[in-house]
Amino acid sequence: LRVRAPNARRHAIDPLRRWYAAVVTDARHLAKPVALFASLDPAALDEVIAAARVRHVESGSTFFREGDPADAFFVLNAGSVKLTQLTPEGHQVVLRLVGPGDAFGGVAAFGGTTYPVTAEAVTDAQALEWPGSVMASLMERYPKLAINALRFVAARLHELQVQYRQLATEKVERRVARALLQLVQQAGRRIDSGVLIDLPLSREDIAQMTGTTLYTVSRIISRFETDGILEAGRQRMVIRNPHALTSIADDLA
Amino acid sequence: MNAADLVNMLVSDVLRANPVTAAVFIDRRMPCVGCTFAPFETVAEVARVYGIEPAELANSLAGACVQARGSKGSHQ
């Protein structure tokens, strides 16, 4: 991702763009580059960024709810967001965790009328927001943006296919191990005793991610604890033996 | 990069700085390349898990780096 460095000769730099340039050029602030902006030329990127506004959402609040009119498209900059759906019986299902650099609310740019999911901030979150119609016309002007979006959609579809296969065929233990690996990828932080999943995630959340019950997840996590694979507290999990967990996830054990 | 520095580097940093080192992990049947935990564990830590002396693994990794530089040089 190329971002023009703040130019000393330009006196008035749009504050949002300056903030964004600071964020994206500092790898510590952005774990992953924004795939949607890959190989856009700097002038196009400037225009895309200038059309966005920054939206902050506190932990526990939502960017949008399932069924709301789909009028805005988002790229997450900081924090974590979970995308959930409610079943007719009132159970919440976690479909995906969105991390920095990921887009969400894509239906807004592609003509959807309502959001199919709820986007809830799991930690304090900050995102760039575009009105759906604005993002759609930017995509028409800059086809690269549209191709990047298509890549993103294709990757999501692939992920869903894998998830579907896992749900249909894999042992629950392996699904839980995989979910934990995914969480490590998204929010892992090295601490003395191992790798901390730095997210306030409950066993109920993991149950929803793996399509199983709280009871089953609790049983599996307790077993992982007994085996010294992890240490689980309330809303806190430390992976003590990464190799054992990876072996279970990859079914090498 | 010398072996003494490599021992305490994160596996993902080693692989990023010197992609040729991937061959060392693969040859030793260590699934470090592409592992979720590569950004969290040092060369010494993974060596211990696989029952290898940390210094020995670091030496192999350093050796791969030197060899890669050498073969690049011979084409000039």
Side-chain angles (χ1 to χ4, degrees):
Chain A
L1 174 66
R2 287 171 300 167
V3 172
R4 243 186 281 178
N7 186 333
R9 280 169 302 174
R10 245 190 323 191
H11 292 295
I13 297 172
D14 180 54
L16 171 62
R17 198 163 53 195
R18 188 170 50 200
W19 165 80
Y20 188 76
V23 169
V24 297
T25 51
D26 189 338
R28 283 168 308 176
H29 285 99
L30 202 65
K32 286 181 195 154
V34 178
L36 186 67
F37 302 153
S39 67
L40 268 190
D41 66 63
L45 182 61
D46 274 359
E47 198 184 326
V48 173
I49 298 298
R53 71 184 192 103
V54 181
R55 172 101 169 262
H56 296 267
V57 168
E58 276 176 35
S59 169
S61 298
T62 60
F63 281 90
F64 50 78
R65 291 187 167 279
E66 184 179 350
D68 283 353
D71 43 26
F73 177 91
F74 299 89
V75 168
L76 190 66
N77 241 312
S80 291
V81 169
K82 65 176 178 184
L83 304 183
T84 63
Q85 266 180 354
L86 272 185
T87 66
E89 293 78 27
H91 294 295
Q92 195 188 56
V93 180
V94 178
L95 294 173
R96 178 175 161 76
L97 273 168
V98 174
D102 283 345
F104 60 104
V107 286
F110 296 110
T113 52
T114 57
Y115 290 112
V117 295
T118 295
E120 178 189 331
V122 183
T123 64
D124 287 350
Q126 184 192 61
L128 292 176
E129 175 183 350
W130 293 263
S133 56
V134 170
M135 183 45 83
S137 57
L138 283 167
M139 284 178 179
E140 273 176 37
R141 195 135 17 106
Y142 303 111
K144 248 178 208 155
L145 203 56
I147 291 169
N148 289 341
L150 207 54
R151 279 211 185 95
F152 184 80
V153 172
R156 279 292 297 131
L157 184 60
H158 178 71
E159 236 173 76
L160 283 172
Q161 285 163 340
V162 170
Q163 233 170 319
Y164 178 81
R165 192 194 63 215
Q166 289 171 1
L167 274 174
T169 63
E170 283 177 9
K171 282 187 295 192
V172 184
E173 185 188 46
R174 191 172 171 196
R175 272 160 31 204
V176 171
R178 276 184 195 273
L180 292 174
L181 288 190
Q182 203 189 326
L183 292 168
V184 164
Q185 225 158 26
Q186 227 142 25
R189 190 158 60 78
R190 184 63 208 246
I191 58 171
D192 279 346
S193 58
V195 179
L196 169 71
I197 294 176
D198 203 2
L199 270 180
L201 223 67
S202 64
R203 289 171 198 213
E204 183 69 52
D205 289 323
I206 295 170
Q208 289 166 8
M209 286 176 75
T210 50
T212 180
T213 60
L214 176 60
Y215 172 78
T216 305
V217 165
S218 293
R219 183 173 51 81
I220 290 172
I221 291 201
S222 299
R223 178 141 38 88
F224 285 174
E225 261 187 303
T226 313
D227 294 346
I229 295 172
L230 54 79
E231 216 177 78
R234 239 187 107 69
Q235 304 243 316
R236 185 189 150 88
M237 214 168 285
V238 178
I239 310 301
R240 299 291 306 274
N241 187 342
H243 303 272
L245 187 66
T246 311
S247 299
I248 295 167
D250 293 342
D251 211 11
L252 303 172
Chain B
M1 226 178 295
N2 63 47
D5 293 333
L6 278 163
V7 155
N8 294 313
M9 279 177 72
L10 294 172
V11 172
S12 60
D13 287 344
V14 172
L15 286 166
R16 198 173 312 124
N18 294 286
V20 290
T21 54
V24 174
F25 291 112
I26 293 166
D27 287 346
R28 289 174 176 267
R29 306 187 68 80
M30 296 167 71
C32 296
V33 182
C35 174
T36 308
F37 288 96
F40 302 102
E41 303 243 281
T42 64
V43 168
E45 285 167 329
V46 299
R48 281 188 209 106
V49 171
Y50 289 90
I52 307 167
E53 267 301 305
E56 188 201 327
L57 179 59
N59 280 329
S60 315
L61 293 168
C65 298
V66 170
Q67 224 176 341
R69 264 194 299 278
S71 64
K72 232 180 269 169
S74 67
H75 291 298
Q76 285 171 355

